Amino acid sequence: ANIAAALLLYGAQRSGDIRFMTHGSIEGGRIRLRQSKTSTDVDVPVVEPLAQALEAGPLGDVTLIETKHGKPFTQKGFYNLMK
């Protein structure tokens, strides 16, 4: 939940985008992705608190945050993780 919270707080992304962020979404100290809701391309810096959370991990194998079964969180599962 720490990485998810850090991505929400410091990454300025919606939960729907965070649930499917891959390691490739973060390169060169930047978050780059196309938002699912608006199809807007975003490019925002990875600020220090977020960089520290990502470094501390744990990160999923494919998506940055995964269930214990190695799958992306569903909308409800992500909600339950964050409450």
Side-chain angles (χ1 to χ4, degrees):
N2 289 342
I3 292 174
L7 285 165
L8 285 169
L9 184 61
Y10 302 114
Q13 302 306 309
R14 294 178 181 92
S15 62
D17 295 318
I18 289 172
R19 293 186 297 123
F20 297 104
M21 285 180 72
T22 64
H23 296 268
S25 301
I26 300 179
E27 292 182 311
R30 312 283 302 177
I31 297 172
R32 294 184 177 96
L33 58 89
R34 175 163 289 172
Q35 292 181 328
S36 60
K37 183 175 181 178
T38 62
S39 296
T40 302
D41 290 328
V42 294
D43 180 344
V44 295
V46 174
V47 295
E48 189 58 31
L50 177 55
Q52 290 173 356
L54 292 168
E55 181 70 27
L59 299 175
D61 291 333
V62 177
T63 56
L64 295 177
I65 56 170
E66 294 177 343
T67 67
K68 62 183 176 184
H69 303 293
K71 305 284 185 197
F73 278 89
T74 63
Q75 184 176 0
K76 185 173 182 170
F78 187 81
Y79 170 79
N80 287 332
L81 174 72
M82 299 307 299
K83 70 176 187 174

